[in-house]
Amino acid sequence: MSVKMLRSHYDPDLFLHEHISQVINAMEGIWKWHSVKLISPEIRDYCYKIARFHDTGKGSEAFQLYISNPEQYLGKKIEKSHSPLSLLLTLSTAEKEGWEPLDTLLVAASVYGHHGGFPILINNDVNSKVHQSLDRFSSAEMFKIIKRQLSTIEYSKLEKECGVTITAPSKNSPIAEKRYLTQNIIPVLQALSIDDAIGIRLKGQLVFSFLLEADKAFLAVRDSQCYLKREHKIWETDWIEKLIGNPPGTKVNRLRQKIRKSVKEQTVKNIDIPLQSLTAPTGLGKTLLAAEWALKLREMTTSEDNPPSKVIVVLPYLSIIEQTAQNYRKLLEFGPESTDGSWFLTSHSLSDRQYDPELEEKISSFFIDTWRTELIITTYDQFLMSLMEPKTKYQMRFHNLCDSLIIMDEVQTIPCAMWQLLNGVFKGLASVCNTRILLMSATLPSFVPDAVPLIKNYQELFNFRRYKFKFNIFELISLDLFCQNLQDRLPKWMDSEERVLITLNTRKSARKVLDTLKKCRPQNYQDIPIFFIS
């Protein structure tokens, strides 16, 4: 080959051994933000292997020709592919060294998928557009390309760059390794129970997530200290007391205080229970109750071996995210420091992508996309994609779901078709990923039967009568008649200073009612506002 040392990147210009060293350094930095329980010797071993094998395919002559000057490269794009070759070299080494089947599978999945997404095992649909399946890594045109790539590798040079022993495939052919994968490794996973298989899947996503962030870390953040140096933020539970203050002693406020006391007691009592639930009527302050649960648990579980847990609040609608975010902003006002993205972020399609005005935009974007903060407020779609979507942009965040305190509000909005799946995944997160989850709703579905209630006898709360409903469902009236009735009732409402909400099912009918109210409003009540919410 025409180069003395193998190159990994063009901009910045990096040799392969430099990039691998950076990946390992970044991984070890990420681990400092996780518990000793999560970052076990087994997980470390997986990660070191993945770091050293994930770019072994860059040892081919075609890739080295490409990376020397990407803009001038005239070969086919597929010729310089390195992930399939990296997978092949991983499998041949694993077979030669006698790695355990599931260990091999976890490493192989990360090595193969770190550019295309977390791979599926087998794709039996020949017409499927899904190409990122392990069993097809050497199919069709790729088979011939891998054979050509193998014939150009200088193994001694590649081993020196990667810092690992690499076994060349027999006869420079991927056939044997593909058979080893499909006949000796994948069947071991398929023979597991559902719970054990979910556990392996989550473990695989964990190490995959570490690789994805570490692989990009020092490319996005050139200053290593800017990336590696992080300080834990201390959220104090007494900030909630200060925020609540001394509210009037109404019946509702007394009930809120009673519920808060129960939540505090059960949080301490159930410190070792990872799945909990909070069921209470709307209006009793579930947002602050959940914050109290999270901050109290964070405080009790933090130790030398357990850094403060990240808090992730999951909500179904964009319309209520800002309200929840505002509550947490008010909490932070009681803290001693000014707040930025390192304290908390909102993550959804319309969120303001602001992290720290003193950082470069590229660095801020990387920190936002990797959820580098103490508190995340996000939507169900972002959470579920980070949990299960194979794309790398979402899986890069997965490790942040581990060792975390996850608050899932309005869980009744989750489609019932997902309940059985999520029950298994939530139990897996608790057992494999050291995650604690709080499920909240006024109408909590029972799809996670192991969840322990924070409020005992919560059914009694729903006997508290704040409103009286009168239904007239037997008489059908026109919209015109409805508007006429409003004209008769409006003066009474205004004289008694009542607050009224009128809900209609079309924009046209809502506009007609609004125009009616504005037209017939008494002159002496013109200063009372009427709001139109769509």
Side-chain angles (χ1 to χ4, degrees), residues 57-239:
K58 290 183 176 181
S60 73
E61 188 174 45
F63 183 86
Q64 290 301 306
L65 179 63
Y66 158 78
I67 204 64
S68 64
N69 193 338
E71 293 183 358
Q72 299 297 319
Y73 179 68
L74 299 178
K76 292 182 179 180
K77 184 178 180 180
I78 195 172
E79 292 281 349
K80 55 87 175 177
S81 300
H82 69 276
S83 295
L85 181 57
S86 297
L87 172 60
L88 180 65
L89 296 174
T90 301
L91 292 173
S92 60
T93 303
E95 183 177 19
K96 176 68 175 179
E97 296 183 357
W99 297 4
E100 290 295 323
L102 293 179
D103 295 346
T104 302
L105 185 59
L106 290 185
V107 176
S110 291
V111 167
Y112 185 52
H114 74 280
H115 284 297
F118 198 74
I120 62 174
L121 295 180
I122 297 176
N123 185 3
N124 293 318
D125 184 1
V126 295
N127 297 316
S128 172
K129 295 181 179 180
V130 176
H131 65 279
Q132 202 68 16
S133 60
L134 283 174
D135 67 318
R136 290 192 178 185
F137 78 93
S138 61
S139 298
E141 185 181 4
M142 202 67 227
F143 178 84
K144 296 179 181 179
I145 291 173
I146 291 177
K147 289 194 68 175
R148 288 197 294 271
Q149 291 176 333
L150 284 170
S151 66
T152 66
I153 292 177
E154 294 182 27
Y155 285 94
S156 59
K157 184 179 294 186
L158 184 59
E159 288 179 338
K160 184 177 181 180
E161 289 286 332
C162 297
V164 68
T165 300
I166 300 172
T167 302
S170 59
K171 300 179 180 180
N172 286 340
S173 173
I175 295 176
E177 279 65 35
K178 180 175 180 179
R179 185 181 299 117
Y180 172 62
L181 174 68
T182 57
Q183 296 182 5
N184 296 74
I185 297 177
I186 293 178
V188 176
L189 177 66
Q190 294 173 326
L192 296 177
S193 67
I194 291 295
D195 288 343
D196 288 342
I198 289 174
I200 292 296
R201 161 80 184 202
L202 295 176
K203 195 178 293 184
Q205 288 180 244
L206 175 62
V207 295
F208 185 56
S209 179
F210 288 145
L211 172 65
L212 294 178
E213 180 171 337
D215 194 35
K216 294 178 174 61
F218 292 133
L219 302 177
V221 188
R222 302 291 177 88
D223 181 358
S224 61
Q225 288 307 307
C226 178
Y227 176 76
L228 294 173
K229 185 179 179 181
R230 298 172 64 180
E231 296 181 359
H232 296 293
K233 305 296 185 182
I234 305 301
W235 296 68
E236 298 180 11
T237 53
D238 65 355
W239 293 353

Side-chain angles (χ1 to χ4, degrees), residues 258-288:
K258 179 181 178 181
I259 294 174
R260 284 190 65 218
K261 181 180 178 181
S262 173
V263 168
K264 287 181 181 179
E265 292 173 351
Q266 292 301 310
T267 300
V268 175
K269 180 180 179 180
N270 299 337
I271 186 173
D272 295 322
I273 297 176
L275 300 176
Q276 300 185 45
S277 64
L278 176 57
T279 308
T282 300
L284 292 187
K286 289 195 291 295
T287 297
L288 289 182

